[in-house]
Amino acid sequence: MQVENLTNDQLAELLVTDRYDEELRRRALALRRKIYGNKVFVRGLIEFTNYCKNNCYYCGLRCENKNLQRYRLTADEILQCADEGYALGFRTFVLQGGEDVYFTDEVLVPLVTELHHRHPDVAITLSVGERSRESYARLRQAGAERYLLRHETANPDHYARLHPVAQTLSNRKRCLQDLKELGYAVGSGFMVGSPFQTPMNLVEDIHFLQELQPAMIGIGPFLSHRDTPFWNEPNGDLQLTLRLIALLRIFFPHALIPATTALATLAENGRELGMAYGANVLMPNLTPAVVRKQYLLYDNKVTGGVEDAQSLEQLKERMAIDGWDIVVDRGDVQ
Ligand code: SAM
Ligand code: SF4
């Protein structure tokens, strides 16, 4: 089956059946092997603040969640995490956080500058939400090369059901456009099974990504959090997430696609399944253990074990069982 030639309706139908999963999986895997061989890239994730001014209805870090103990790492602590990651062999760091008003350009730009100065061979990736074009430009100049900002959903009505009115799809798209124009390698993506999502919404997501042509595509199942308006919504479906990973690999053969923590939370072997369906990136966690449990986007988020960057050797062994080879390099798009 040539998925590239399907109509929107046919693609939406394909998303709701498991009939073609094995075929999709095999094709995705063949493409991934052709371009990236057995290589799996690793990124060291530093979740440096769980303060957020936004109020996304799905996320445990939303500002209206008063049950969350907030933390913010100091610049020194962030640099220490990076030093530790560097010693462990990581050559990409992802600095991720809520939209914390403390991290103005005056704070973040010197931090990125120092990080770049200490480790010039490292690809600095930021994931700190929506900012002005000027801010993105300053951070780029300071040494940030990649930026992760999921579009979450490409349908404006759906977007409005997941976010308060102050947060708009048009601004998110503006950010992604600015980031691309400024020369960042951009990552985007969406949650699978977010409330009110329809198969046609997912088709729209694929089309949006085809326009954007991001270097990285992050998808993971929506997982509910008890202190959000979506506390009672069902979690995203494992098989649909895997099917979408395979489809994205087919549509974007060169993309860097992680097997996400959300996937590993939904299924104990989520990382392995993600790889089997075409993912090629893992993001072990470098966040200090004392605060890691407070970066709780959804309930039961996995921490510890191979999720720890410190357990890289263990992760390597686990991935090697399936023939995957975790490599230590920047893991640029090929
Ligand atoms: N604040 C930044 C942003 O929103 O881009 C970066 C951090 S945010 C926590 C990273 C991603 O987590 C979001 O893009 C969203 O897709 C995902 N996320 C948030 N809540 C989630 C949930 N309940 N289930 C699964 N993923 C979730
Ligand atoms: Fe904040 Fe990002 Fe969570 Fe939205 S998804 S509440 S912006 S941390």
Side-chain angles (χ1 to χ4, degrees):
M1 185 204 347
Q2 285 300 103
V3 292
E4 296 88 338
N5 299 334
L6 296 180
T7 63
N8 288 349
D9 285 334
Q10 287 169 328
L11 199 49
E13 272 171 39
L14 179 69
L15 286 170
V16 294
T17 174
D18 58 10
R19 203 175 321 147
Y20 305 103
D21 283 358
E22 194 44 31
E23 188 183 336
L24 293 174
R25 190 187 73 74
R26 266 197 254 117
R27 214 179 135 201
L29 203 57
L31 275 170
R32 178 249 196 267
R33 281 198 203 282
K34 188 172 147 206
I35 294 160
Y36 289 102
N38 293 335
K39 283 186 198 166
V40 174
F41 300 119
V42 281
R43 324 296 198 196
L45 182 62
I46 305 174
E47 297 162 334
F48 67 97
T49 174
N50 72 353
Y51 282 88
C52 189
K53 69 174 166 60
N54 288 344
N55 210 17
C56 308
Y57 299 150
Y58 44 84
C59 178
L61 306 194
R62 61 202 301 271
C63 61
E64 267 181 28
N65 179 10
K66 305 295 177 214
N67 292 332
L68 181 67
Q69 201 182 340
R70 304 281 169 171
Y71 74 89
R72 175 184 291 134
L73 300 186
T74 63
D76 275 349
E77 285 169 332
I78 297 168
L79 291 165
Q80 250 173 41
C81 288
D83 291 346
E84 192 187 341
Y86 192 88
L88 287 166
F90 289 89
R91 292 296 175 269
T92 315
F93 301 127
V94 180
L95 266 57
Q96 189 179 83
E99 291 197 19
D100 181 348
V101 291
Y102 172 82
F103 285 99
T104 57
D105 289 354
E106 284 60 43
V107 179
L108 206 49
V109 169
L111 174 64
V112 171
T113 307
E114 173 60 21
L115 190 55
H116 185 53
H117 176 74
R118 279 194 197 192
H119 304 295
D121 54 336
V122 156
I124 300 176
T125 309
L126 296 177
S127 179
V128 288
E130 298 177 14
R131 300 174 80 93
S132 67
R133 184 183 174 103
E134 193 199 357
S135 171
Y136 289 145
R138 292 178 69 184
L139 292 164
R140 176 84 186 87
Q141 227 178 357
E145 289 181 61
R146 302 177 182 163
Y147 205 101
L148 306 182
L149 183 71
R150 290 182 176 181
H151 66 279
E152 311 295 1
T153 170
N155 179 289
D157 296 329
H158 186 214
Y159 199 93
R161 299 183 83 172
L162 302 180
H163 303 95
V165 280
Q167 294 172 244
T168 61
L169 179 58
S170 57
N171 195 50
R172 190 141 288 230
K173 286 186 175 174
R174 189 272 304 159
C175 291
L176 287 164
Q177 195 56 38
D178 282 345
L179 290 162
K180 272 210 100 168
E181 286 170 13
L182 290 163
Y184 283 92
V186 171
S188 200
F190 53 89
M191 287 174 288
V192 179
S194 59
F196 317 112
Q197 184 179 66
T198 64
M200 198 48 85
N201 290 153
L202 291 168
V203 174
E204 291 172 272
D205 287 325
I206 293 172
H207 288 322
F208 173 74
L209 292 170
Q210 283 175 321
E211 277 167 41
L212 183 70
Q213 287 297 322
M216 300 161 280
I217 302 176
I219 68 163
F222 159 78
L223 299 172
S224 69
H225 184 293
R226 71 185 90 95
D227 296 313
T228 66
F230 293 155
W231 62 274
N232 206 18
E233 295 290 338
N235 287 340
D237 181 70
L238 175 65
Q239 199 53 38
L240 176 57
T241 308
L242 297 173
R243 192 176 303 139
L244 274 158
I245 290 177
L247 270 174
L248 290 169
R249 171 62 62 204
I250 295 168
F251 280 114
F252 305 91
H254 291 266
L256 295 158
I257 302 179
T260 56
T261 307
L263 188 56
T265 300
L266 192 61
E268 203 276 324
N269 59 343
R271 293 176 207 83
E272 285 83 353
L273 285 172
M275 291 298 139
Y277 279 77
N280 61 343
V281 175
L282 290 168
M283 295 170 67
N285 206 317
L286 280 167
T287 313
V290 282
V291 293
R292 203 178 289 177
K293 281 195 162 48
Q294 287 156 245
Y295 199 83
L296 208 64
L297 314 179
Y298 39 78
D299 293 335
N300 308 315
K301 183 178 169 212
V302 284
T303 55
V306 290
E307 210 48 44
D308 287 359
Q310 291 75 3
S311 309
L312 191 57
E313 288 310 312
Q314 221 183 309
L315 184 64
K316 279 183 184 169
E317 283 167 24
R318 208 168 138 168
M319 285 293 133
I321 296 171
D322 294 337
W324 300 120
D325 186 14
I326 289 190
V327 291
V328 172
D329 75 22
R330 289 165 39 103
D332 287 306
V333 79
Q334 288 172 16

